[in-house]
Amino acid sequence: MHTHCAIVAGIAEQLLSRRPQAADPELVRAGGLLHDIGVYRLYDRTGKLDYERYVRHGVLGRDLLAEQGYPDALGRFCSCHTGMGITREDIRAQGLPIPPGDYVAESAEEELVMFADKFHSKAGPPVLVSPATVAARLSRFGAEKELRFKALLAKYGEPDLRPFHEEHGHEVV
């Protein structure tokens, strides 16, 4: 989990220089490092991960940070990074086990972390993910998700995944 979050933060920082408007680099780094903290609440006492409720990790992370007194600006990285954002309609149509609401990136910083997160998968084994693979994976959730990704790809360009491959040995798929 730590490696995934460090890679996402690194990709987001790399893309930060391509941002057409200013974004807070410290907030981007913090958001990248914290965005998946809610996953820890999905492990039981034996260390088994609850995959069926995995989509809840965003709201669980937001709640965890709020309980610890962190500002909502940090908690939003958790609740708004999944996929290309989860809308109230997505929750209804897919029967997702999360409270109704719109969990979509709003700030420049949230958008960067959400986008950067698409280029690394912590699934076993962890891999770096090419833009073509990201687009194909997102298309399963509707054409609008794939189009949103492609719009962000046009906005920021493709990240250089080579340094992350060299440092961590994760293959690019």
Side-chain angles (χ1 to χ4, degrees):
M1 186 76 60
H2 171 75
T3 300
H4 167 73
C5 291
I7 289 171
V8 169
I11 292 171
E13 288 173 325
Q14 183 189 104
L15 297 172
L16 191 60
S17 65
R18 304 177 192 174
R19 178 84 189 131
Q21 56 189 203
D24 180 344
E26 290 180 21
L27 189 55
V28 168
R29 178 136 179 88
L33 292 172
L34 291 171
H35 77 280
D36 268 348
I37 198 167
V39 173
Y40 291 107
R41 287 202 162 168
L42 290 170
Y43 285 96
D44 67 17
R45 294 190 188 281
T46 68
K48 183 179 176 193
L49 181 63
D50 182 354
Y51 288 103
E52 288 184 24
R53 296 183 333 127
Y54 189 80
V55 73
R56 293 185 51 79
H57 79 280
V59 294
L60 293 172
R62 179 202 62 201
D63 293 348
L64 173 65
L65 292 177
E67 290 165 13
Q68 298 301 314
Y70 288 93
D72 189 50
L74 289 177
R76 286 189 49 80
F77 285 101
C78 300
S79 62
C80 299
H81 79 278
T82 304
M84 293 307 296
I86 298 174
T87 65
R88 184 179 302 274
E89 178 56 25
D90 294 331
I91 294 166
R92 187 199 62 71
Q94 298 173 43
L96 300 176
I98 56 177
D102 288 317
Y103 303 97
V104 296
E106 294 176 357
S107 72
E109 294 85 359
E110 292 167 4
E111 181 181 83
L112 270 167
V113 170
M114 176 198 65
F115 182 62
D117 184 50
K118 303 301 138 318
F119 295 99
H120 187 262
S121 173
K122 57 191 172 292
V127 292
L128 295 156
V129 187
S130 70
T133 301
V134 173
R137 289 178 177 180
L138 288 170
S139 69
R140 297 178 303 156
F141 299 101
E144 71 282 356
K145 304 296 184 180
E146 181 182 3
L147 290 173
R148 174 80 174 119
F149 170 75
K150 288 180 176 179
L152 292 177
L153 188 61
K155 183 178 187 176
Y156 296 111
E158 187 174 332
D160 181 3
L161 301 176
R162 188 179 50 245
F164 305 102
H165 165 72
E166 290 170 359
E167 182 176 351
H168 302 285
H170 298 173
E171 295 302 317
V172 179
V173 297

